[in-house]
Amino acid sequence: MYFVGLLLNVDYGDALVRARALRVLRASGVRAVGVEEAVDAYYVHYRSPIFGGRASSPVWERFLMTYVKSHYYGAVSAVSRLNHKASLEAAVRLLKAFESYLRYLDSYGRVWFGRGAREAWAAAMRQIRRHLGDPADVVELYRLFKRLGEVLGRGRSDSPGALALSVASDPRRVRLSRILAKALALSSRLGALLDGVWGLGEEEERAYGSLHRLRRAALYAKALALGAPPLFLHKAASAELPVYRQVGGGDKGIYLLVDKSGSMYGALGGVEKIAVAAAYAIAVLRRFKNVVIRFFDAEVYDPVSDVERLVEVLTRVAASGGTDITQAVEAAVEDAESRELRGYVLAVVTDGEDDRLNPLTVREARAVFRDVVFVLLGAQKPPPHARAVWISPNDLRLAGAASAVI
């Protein structure tokens, strides 16, 4: 069977090529195009296109060539080239834009010359913008999500290009993504500020060292250095000098509940409280290996394990007006018991605006978790049976001074 298409550097009969095209068609749900158009839509993003083939539809050829010559294509192709997931996402959105354009032509008539033609191709560009987003947003979001994945590490960002394309098409999600940009800028310094206040359950362990570690030595070692210098030097030289050093007890596990209710979109020190909470979550993900993060408002959301899920929760789920800390703590307790999360610290990041918090729930959590800590954004009082850490506007000003290095 002979297959046709616009691209000379693509084998339209190849099994992998057609399998990718069928996947594009399934994901897009469009019915106005066939496999060849889907191949064009995918490979025009995946490779540098070489045109010269024959399109199955003159409307598709004009639409695609108009797109490729536009600044939209320049931004999208920069993040999709040789990236399967990003090319798949771009192809799906391009086919949806084309189907919307066909509906426009059916409504207003297919005009191929004069003013009608100009209006038709202006409509094509409107559909491209609607489904692919602003080119500047695509580039900005790609840089943000790529940097976020680099900061978190451990393979937490699968495809920043595909993620950028999925967010850029919705102006509301683009605006909410600015919260993540602020959070990323705050996260490093904010984590350092909190280390000295809380330490996430730091513990001491007995270790051995040499002279340069004397400042951390136990009282015994200090007394030995003053009372019996020769014996002290001997033990230090043979690495038998006992010292106590801080170890990250939090590495046993952090279970983080992050409030994203409506009140969290208010400001603290000129920064949205949800951005501060997200910065704290990023700092914890960045530093500790065993972390469970769940956002909550009037309900509790599924755990966040990677950049994609973090972006999904913060930019797609609408801010709720309600806050139910009791339900969130109960869900954490049930989850920790069912998954046998031993030795975890439960941390609740919130502005504390919940008058219905049941203190008995917090006390029950202490029987399951190694510790229960409320990270309060503002000056609210913590509930009984829990330790507290406060993040103040002054902390944010100090963090902001370091944001330029992020």
Side-chain angles (χ1 to χ4, degrees), residues 1-7 10-27 33-43 47 54 56 84 88 91 95:
M1 183 180 294
Y2 179 70
F3 302 101
V4 297
L6 281 169
L7 302 175
V10 174
D11 181 359
Y12 287 79
D14 181 75
L16 176 60
V17 169
R18 297 186 73 79
R20 286 175 167 175
L22 290 173
R23 185 172 179 183
V24 169
L25 290 174
R26 286 194 298 269
V33 299
V35 174
E36 282 72 27
E37 287 88 349
V39 173
D40 289 338
Y42 178 88
Y43 280 97
R47 296 177 181 168
R54 181 167 57 88
S56 57
H84 168 64
L88 176 65
L95 291 186

Side-chain angles (χ1 to χ4, degrees), residues 280-312:
Y280 191 87
I282 291 170
V284 171
L285 279 170
R286 185 179 188 178
R287 178 163 182 175
F288 296 93
K289 295 179 181 179
N290 303 316
V291 180
V292 178
I293 293 182
R294 300 181 75 175
F295 287 83
F296 71 93
D297 41 42
E299 59 180 300
V300 187
Y301 299 96
D302 292 335
V304 169
S305 58
D306 53 29
V307 172
E308 284 73 12
R309 184 59 185 157
L310 181 65
V311 172
E312 181 73 17

